[in-house]
């Protein structure tokens, strides 16, 4: 039986912790067939991003046409798109896709390295976010997109309303950078859901944003509604963070395969 089909459109992470590599690992772990359109290539390891190179827009468009024209999709997830022309290229194609779309508006890496040109932010606002079933910004990305600076959980609804004003159906505001118990807020403007989780004492969290967005897309492809897809994805990511491991000399990745590890490894 063919599993649900999920397409990621993002950048490649040579260190394997985030980007396309994290997306495909997450999709496998969540029971879907992952496919990829590579929009950029990064030289990246546990210490940071040493460089990135965009693919030509015609190469990105050819990959999209190849997958969508033959295989099709049950959900789409976007990540690092880097430049205005790549955002425009992807948005033009996704405007004709009926499947759910999860937008992870990647602005910077876990290490603070910029991954989106300043000029591309306006294009993300105007062209990409209105196509989103769910958009999943962290607090830095909320400020980058809307100008709203969140410093306490009480401000998350204001942030969500500002994001929704840009056109997505649902906004998931990730509160992991706030002090205290991490809480994420999901809303469509009418209904509000809050997802809390234990904060794990683990510095190896590279790839959390990519992983969460890909897990949401996977469960939308399985037919879950948005609140349930987010809940299942949040539980998966929380486990992956709990079992993140050291790799290299810097920030290691979350463990995308934590559910498959022997008990003596994951406990």
């Amino acid at each position: 039986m063919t599993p649900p089909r999920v397409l990621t459109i993002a950048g490649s992470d040579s260190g394997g912790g985030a980007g396309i590599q994290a997306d495909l690992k997450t999709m496998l772990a969540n029971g879907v067939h992952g496919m990829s359109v590579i929009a950029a290539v990064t030289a990246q390891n546990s210490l940071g991003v040493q460089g990135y190179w965009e693919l030509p827009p015609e190469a990105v468009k050819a990959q999209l046409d190849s997958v969508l024209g033959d295989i099709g999709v049950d959900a789409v997830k976007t990540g690092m798109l880097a430049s205005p022309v790549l955002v425009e290229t992807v948005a033009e194609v996704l405007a004709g896709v009926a499947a759910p779309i999860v937008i992870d508006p990647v602005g910077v890496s876990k290490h603070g390295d910029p991954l989106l040109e300043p000029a591309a932010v306006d294009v993300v606002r105007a062209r990409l976010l209105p196509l989103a079933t769910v958009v999943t910004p962290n607090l830095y990305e909320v400020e980058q997109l809307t100008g709203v600076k969140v410093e306490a959980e009480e401000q998350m609804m204001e942030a969500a309303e500002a994001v929704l004003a840009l056109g997505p159906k649902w906004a998931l505001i990730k509160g992991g950078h706030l002090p205290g118990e991490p809480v994420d807020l999901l809303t469509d403007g009418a209904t509000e859901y809050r997802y809390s989780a234990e904060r794990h004492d683990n510095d190896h969290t590279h790839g959390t944003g990519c992983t969460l967005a890909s897990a949401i897309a996977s469960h939308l492809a399985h037919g879950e509604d948005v609140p349930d897809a987010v809940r299942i994805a949040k539980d998966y990511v929380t486990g992956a963070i709990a079992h993140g491991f050291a790799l290299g000399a810097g920030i290691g990745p979350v463990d995308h395969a934590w559910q498959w590890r022997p008990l003596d490894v994951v406990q």
Side-chain angles (χ1 to χ4, degrees):
M1 184 174 177
T2 303
R5 306 152 298 169
V6 181
L7 174 64
T8 171
I9 309 165
S12 168
D13 173 2
S14 55
I20 291 283
Q21 288 79 357
D23 296 341
L24 294 177
K25 293 173 188 177
T26 298
M27 291 170 188
L28 180 63
N30 285 274
V32 301
H33 174 69
M35 304 167 290
S36 62
V37 168
I38 298 175
V41 175
T42 71
Q44 186 171 174
N45 56 27
S46 71
L47 298 173
V49 178
Q50 289 77 48
Y52 75 80
W53 299 266
E54 301 165 29
L55 266 70
E58 56 269 25
V60 173
K61 176 69 160 51
Q63 292 175 80
L64 285 163
D65 291 345
S66 181
V67 172
L68 296 173
D70 173 47
I71 300 171
V73 293
D74 296 300
V76 177
K77 176 260 178 182
T78 73
M80 176 189 177
L81 298 179
S83 69
V85 67
L86 290 185
V87 177
E88 290 271 9
T89 299
V90 170
E92 182 177 350
V93 174
L94 292 187
V97 172
I101 298 171
V102 179
I103 304 295
D104 181 14
V106 175
V108 297
S109 74
K110 177 67 68 177
H111 304 84
D113 302 298
L115 297 175
L116 184 68
E117 294 177 17
V121 175
D122 286 340
V123 187
V124 170
R125 289 192 198 102
R127 295 294 309 277
L128 199 60
L129 293 191
L131 304 176
T133 306
V134 191
V135 61
T136 64
N138 61 30
L139 300 185
Y140 169 81
E141 290 155 354
V142 167
E143 185 175 4
Q144 185 182 46
L145 291 168
T146 70
V148 175
K149 185 175 180 65
V150 177
E151 297 179 322
E153 185 181 339
E154 294 74 23
Q155 299 171 287
M156 290 178 72
M157 193 60 187
E158 176 191 357
E161 290 170 347
V163 172
L164 288 174
L166 300 174
K169 293 181 176 68
W170 292 83
L172 177 65
I173 309 302
K174 299 180 294 191
H177 292 139
L178 293 175
E181 186 178 78
V183 175
D184 297 342
L185 169 65
L186 173 72
T187 182
D188 62 355
T191 309
E192 177 183 328
Y193 300 85
R194 291 181 186 260
Y195 304 85
S196 61
E198 178 184 359
R199 186 178 294 280
H200 294 287
D201 183 18
N202 188 345
D203 293 331
H204 302 302
T205 56
H206 186 48
T208 50
C210 305
T211 299
L212 179 63
S214 293
I216 293 169
S218 296
H219 290 285
L220 291 175
H222 278 298
E224 304 288 350
D225 63 17
V226 171
D228 280 343
V230 172
R231 174 182 55 80
I232 297 166
K234 175 80 170 178
D235 289 345
Y236 167 73
V237 172
T238 299
I241 292 171
H243 298 102
F245 50 87
L247 200 67
I251 300 172
V254 302
D255 186 358
H256 298 96
W258 68 273
Q259 294 162 309
W260 301 341
R261 304 291 186 198
L263 289 178
D264 60 344
V265 174
V266 299
Q267 289 183 342

